[in-house]
Amino acid sequence: MHIVVSWDITDGAPPRSELSESLKEAFAGHSWFRPLTTYYVIKADEAARLEIYEALLTVAEANPDRINFVVSPVMQGAYLGFLPQTSWDKINKRTL
Protein backbone atom coordinates (compact mmCIF):
# COMPACT_ATOMS: atom_id res chain seq x y z
CA MET A 1 0.00 0.00 0.00
CA HIS A 2 1.19 3.47 -0.78
CA ILE A 3 0.26 7.12 -1.18
CA VAL A 4 1.33 9.88 -3.52
CA VAL A 5 2.24 13.36 -2.30
CA SER A 6 2.82 16.33 -4.58
CA TRP A 7 3.27 20.04 -3.93
CA ASP A 8 3.91 23.44 -5.44
CA ILE A 9 5.97 26.12 -3.72
CA THR A 10 5.98 29.69 -5.01
CA ASP A 11 9.07 31.89 -4.98
CA GLY A 12 9.95 33.93 -1.90
CA ALA A 13 11.68 33.66 1.43
CA PRO A 14 12.56 31.23 2.90
CA PRO A 15 13.98 29.66 -0.26
CA ARG A 16 11.94 27.04 -2.07
CA SER A 17 14.61 24.40 -1.37
CA GLU A 18 14.32 25.01 2.38
CA LEU A 19 10.53 24.61 2.33
CA SER A 20 10.83 21.50 0.20
CA GLU A 21 13.19 19.94 2.74
CA SER A 22 10.73 20.80 5.53
CA LEU A 23 7.93 19.11 3.60
CA LYS A 24 10.06 15.99 2.94
CA GLU A 25 10.63 15.65 6.69
CA ALA A 26 6.92 14.73 6.94
CA PHE A 27 7.69 11.32 5.43
CA ALA A 28 11.35 10.92 6.35
CA GLY A 29 10.69 7.73 8.33
CA HIS A 30 8.95 6.04 5.40
CA SER A 31 10.22 4.38 2.23
CA TRP A 32 9.73 6.84 -0.63
CA PHE A 33 10.83 7.61 -4.17
CA ARG A 34 10.56 10.78 -6.27
CA PRO A 35 10.10 9.86 -9.96
CA LEU A 36 9.17 13.43 -10.96
CA THR A 37 10.16 16.86 -9.65
CA THR A 38 7.56 17.11 -6.86
CA TYR A 39 5.80 13.74 -7.06
CA TYR A 40 6.58 11.35 -4.22
CA VAL A 41 5.48 7.71 -4.02
CA ILE A 42 5.51 6.72 -0.34
CA LYS A 43 4.95 3.29 1.17
CA ALA A 44 2.20 3.97 3.74
CA ASP A 45 -0.99 2.69 5.32
CA GLU A 46 -3.92 4.88 6.42
CA ALA A 47 -2.40 5.75 9.80
CA ALA A 48 0.86 6.81 8.15
CA ARG A 49 -1.10 8.78 5.53
CA LEU A 50 -2.82 10.83 8.21
CA GLU A 51 0.46 11.36 10.08
CA ILE A 52 2.16 12.55 6.90
CA TYR A 53 -0.79 14.80 6.03
CA GLU A 54 -0.73 16.46 9.46
CA ALA A 55 3.03 17.09 9.22
CA LEU A 56 2.67 18.56 5.71
CA LEU A 57 -0.23 20.70 6.88
CA THR A 58 1.86 22.17 9.69
CA VAL A 59 4.49 23.34 7.19
CA ALA A 60 1.88 24.63 4.73
CA GLU A 61 -0.05 26.55 7.38
CA ALA A 62 3.17 28.27 8.45
CA ASN A 63 3.61 29.36 4.80
CA PRO A 64 0.01 29.70 3.53
CA ASP A 65 0.76 31.92 0.53
CA ARG A 66 3.64 29.73 -0.66
CA ILE A 67 2.68 26.05 -0.40
CA ASN A 68 -0.09 23.95 -1.92
CA PHE A 69 -0.07 20.15 -1.63
CA VAL A 70 -2.12 17.04 -2.34
CA VAL A 71 -2.06 13.66 -0.58
CA SER A 72 -3.69 10.74 -2.39
CA PRO A 73 -5.80 8.05 -0.75
CA VAL A 74 -4.01 4.87 0.26
CA MET A 75 -3.87 2.67 -2.81
CA GLN A 76 -2.20 -0.33 -4.36
CA GLY A 77 -1.46 -1.29 -7.91
CA ALA A 78 0.97 -0.86 -10.76
CA TYR A 79 1.77 2.44 -12.42
CA LEU A 80 2.04 3.13 -16.14
CA GLY A 81 4.20 5.81 -17.70
CA PHE A 82 7.52 6.61 -19.31
CA LEU A 83 10.48 6.49 -16.93
CA PRO A 84 13.94 4.89 -16.85
CA GLN A 85 13.85 1.22 -15.74
CA THR A 86 15.68 2.06 -12.51
CA SER A 87 12.78 4.38 -11.59
CA TRP A 88 10.26 1.58 -12.18
CA ASP A 89 12.25 -0.71 -9.92
CA LYS A 90 12.14 1.91 -7.15
CA ILE A 91 8.42 2.61 -7.63
CA ASN A 92 7.58 -1.11 -7.63
CA LYS A 93 9.53 -1.57 -4.39
CA ARG A 94 7.02 0.76 -2.70
CA THR A 95 3.82 -0.19 -4.51
CA LEU A 96 3.77 -3.90 -5.32
Side-chain angles (χ1 to χ4, degrees):
M1 296 176 65
H2 69 282
I3 62 172
V4 171
V5 172
S6 186
W7 59 69
D8 285 330
I9 302 171
T10 60
D11 290 333
R16 184 180 296 171
S17 60
E18 186 177 314
L19 291 176
S20 183
E21 288 303 314
S22 294
L23 291 166
K24 283 195 288 188
E25 288 176 15
F27 48 87
H30 302 274
S31 178
W32 60 272
F33 177 63
R34 184 185 74 176
L36 304 171
T37 305
T38 62
Y39 187 93
Y40 296 83
V41 177
I42 306 162
K43 189 172 189 103
D45 59 15
E46 185 62 28
R49 174 184 181 252
L50 294 175
E51 175 185 302
I52 290 166
Y53 166 75
E54 290 295 332
L56 292 167
L57 186 60
T58 298
V59 177
E61 287 179 335
N63 302 275
D65 297 329
R66 305 267 324 277
I67 298 173
N68 292 301
F69 73 89
V70 174
V71 177
S72 75
V74 174
M75 58 186 150
Q76 55 187 20
Y79 282 72
L80 297 173
F82 187 78
L83 297 168
Q85 184 58 48
T86 56
S87 293
W88 290 115
D89 295 341
K90 292 174 183 176
I91 288 172
N92 291 338
K93 178 180 175 184
R94 288 149 183 95
T95 61
L96 297 178

